[in-house]
């Protein structure tokens, strides 16, 4: 039997951890209850991982974009992961990470030249992984270059994750074609983030998709659609079981 789930490690903004002690965005993908991959690694995510899961951090890390709330803990996490760190993402995103996120750690950069693996998608925008898993990357609607993905298991789509994106019907249709979608939204939408109302309205068109919302801060908003809810640190979402 194979089980795949995802543990929410944080949903805060870049300032959330610094000002409130709330971890920024990050998730741990587990296979058979063993941590396999971090999905983004915002400020405070490593401590949240130790608090909610424990043990060694996985050495496979997907990076959607280089904002602090998605990569703030990355330099430290890379330095303490066992074995050979493996960073997954769009090539331009990974170049940004290497140049700008790791620029203050030249000794780490030098070490990564020798021991890290930087994994970018093939010509079909796919990255193949162990356990029959694969990521299909796509560009999100964001002022800073950002890539989300659809995660599949043996060809079956199990998770849609657009990372940070303004509301876009094509992107939302793509990720909610999966049984589970993790969406970024704020109370008031803008050119980088959907609004809660955008998510609510779209949820009514895809009742079979469980839509989980990264919300940045506590909000008084209440979703009425039964298939959409806010994510909290420590939430576990089942993605696959055979």
């Amino acid at each position: 039997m194979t089980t795949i789930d995802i543990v929410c490690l944080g949903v805060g903004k870049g300032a959330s951890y610094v000002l409130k002690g709330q971890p920024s965005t990050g998730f741990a993908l587990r296979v058979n209850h063993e941590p396999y991959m971090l999905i983004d690694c915002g400020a405070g995510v490593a401590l949240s991982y130790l608090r909610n899961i424990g043990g060694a951090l996985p050495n496979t890390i997907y990076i959607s974009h280089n904002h602090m709330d998605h990569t703030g803990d990355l330099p430290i996490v890379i330095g303490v992961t066992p074995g050979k760190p493996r960073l997954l993402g769009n090539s331009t995103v990974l170049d940004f990470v290497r140049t700008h996120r790791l620029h203050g750690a030249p000794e780490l950069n030098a070490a990564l030249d020798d021991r890290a693996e930087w994994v970018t998608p093939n010509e079909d925008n796919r990255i193949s992984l162990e356990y029959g898993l694969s990521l299909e990357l796509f560009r999100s609607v964001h002022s800073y270059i950002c890539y989300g993905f659809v995660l599949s298991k043996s060809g079956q789509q199990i998770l849609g994750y657009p990372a940070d994106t303004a509301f876009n019907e094509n992107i939302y249709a793509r990720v909610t074609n999966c049984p589970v979608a993790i969406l970024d939204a704020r109370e008031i939408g803008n050119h980088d983030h959907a609004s809660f109302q955008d998510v609510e309205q779209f949820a009514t068109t895809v009742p079979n998709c469980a839509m989980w919302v990264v919300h940045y801060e506590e909000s008084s908003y209440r979703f009425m659609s039964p298939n959409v809810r806010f994510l909290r640190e420590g939430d576990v979402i089942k993605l696959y079981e055979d």
Side-chain angles (χ1 to χ4, degrees):
M1 175 184 288
T2 299
T3 62
I4 301 173
D5 62 19
I6 193 166
V7 182
C8 177
L9 301 176
V11 294
K13 295 189 292 190
S16 297
Y17 185 66
V18 175
L19 299 179
K20 298 183 178 182
Q22 298 174 355
S24 301
T25 305
F27 308 91
L29 184 75
R30 302 188 301 186
V31 178
N32 296 329
H33 306 290
E34 291 295 326
Y36 171 69
M37 177 172 66
L38 290 181
I39 299 170
D40 283 331
C41 193
V45 163
L47 185 59
S48 174
Y49 177 92
L50 295 176
R51 184 165 57 237
N52 289 284
I53 298 176
L57 289 152
N59 63 2
T60 298
I61 307 168
Y62 177 84
I63 298 298
S64 65
H65 65 300
N66 191 41
H67 277 166
M68 179 181 174
D69 58 326
H70 290 256
T71 57
D73 273 10
L74 185 62
I76 299 301
V77 168
I78 289 175
V80 301
T81 52
K84 187 173 185 177
R86 182 169 61 163
L87 275 70
L88 281 52
N90 168 266
S91 59
T92 302
V93 170
L94 294 187
D95 286 344
F96 268 65
V97 167
R98 184 160 197 157
T99 302
H100 301 290
R101 184 60 55 188
L102 303 178
H103 76 282
E107 70 287 349
L108 177 58
N109 245 326
L112 288 175
D113 285 335
D114 297 324
R115 73 184 193 93
E117 183 180 1
W118 300 76
V119 181
T120 58
N122 63 17
E123 62 276 8
D124 295 323
N125 285 319
R126 292 183 181 275
I127 298 175
S128 296
L129 301 168
E130 294 82 5
Y131 305 106
L133 297 172
S134 66
L135 302 173
E136 182 181 1
L137 276 60
F138 58 86
R139 178 77 181 265
S140 299
V141 179
H142 199 268
S143 56
Y144 199 86
I145 186 167
C146 178
Y147 276 77
F149 62 75
V150 169
L151 172 68
S152 296
K153 161 66 173 167
S154 303
Q156 175 185 340
Q157 294 183 350
I158 60 175
L159 173 67
Y161 177 66
D164 284 2
T165 186
F167 177 75
N168 177 279
E169 286 194 4
N170 290 332
I171 288 177
Y172 268 52
R174 185 172 192 171
V175 298
T176 59
N177 192 46
C178 305
V180 176
I182 295 176
L183 305 169
D184 148 77
R186 294 187 175 182
E187 190 137 8
I188 299 175
N190 55 36
H191 59 281
D192 286 331
H193 306 279
S195 71
F196 296 150
Q197 188 174 15
D198 290 331
V199 174
E200 178 98 76
Q201 290 176 346
F202 198 86
T204 64
T205 70
V206 285
N208 294 325
C209 177
M211 299 166 66
W212 296 77
V213 179
V214 175
H215 53 86
Y216 296 98
E217 298 285 345
E218 292 296 325
S219 172
S220 59
Y221 193 92
R222 294 293 179 266
F223 290 111
M224 300 303 294
S225 299
N227 60 321
V228 56
R229 58 171 291 184
F230 286 124
L231 263 171
R232 310 291 184 197
E233 178 190 343
D235 281 346
V236 178
I237 306 170
K238 293 181 180 180
L239 300 179
Y240 178 88
E241 184 174 271
D242 66 6

